[in-house]
Structure formats: C-alpha cells, structure tokens
Amino acid sequence: MSGLSDKLKSTVNKVKGETKDQVGNAKNDPHLQAEGKVNKLKGNLQDGIGKLKNNR
C-alpha cells in the first residue's frame, strides 16, 4: 500500500470520525461520540503511516 493510499484513508476516517463525534454530541449519544473519536484516532495513525512510507 502506498503512502498516498494511507493518507487518503486517513482523511476519510478523520471526516467520518468528526461527523460521528458531532452527531453523537448533538444527539447526546456517548456511544456514537466514542465511535467518532476512535475513527479520528485511526485516521491520525494512518496519516502517520503514510508519512513514514513517503519518507523512506
């Protein structure tokens, strides 16, 4: 998997996570907020992996 692919997936996960976090906040749904935070964390990790692959 290329670094660009990882960065693209990271962006998708960050957006999905932010959306879930905000919807969970609006609906007062802690479970949905937690899912959003996990997606954002996953996106941040994928972003870091993509950067490492590009720097090789």
Side-chain angles (χ1 to χ4, degrees):
M1 184 179 294
S2 72
L4 181 60
S5 176
D6 286 317
K7 291 177 93 174
L8 179 62
K9 285 183 179 184
S10 80
T11 302
V12 170
N13 276 312
K14 287 178 189 178
V15 170
K16 184 168 72 171
E18 183 63 30
T19 302
K20 282 184 177 182
D21 192 13
Q22 293 299 322
V23 170
N25 188 35
K27 289 185 167 187
N28 197 23
D29 184 347
H31 180 71
L32 192 57
Q33 282 182 287
E35 281 184 32
K37 290 181 190 320
V38 168
N39 283 125
K40 286 192 282 188
L41 178 60
K42 184 178 175 183
N44 287 331
L45 290 172
Q46 286 172 320
D47 194 31
I49 290 169
K51 286 179 182 176
L52 284 173
K53 286 182 178 179
N54 282 338
N55 289 333
R56 283 187 169 185

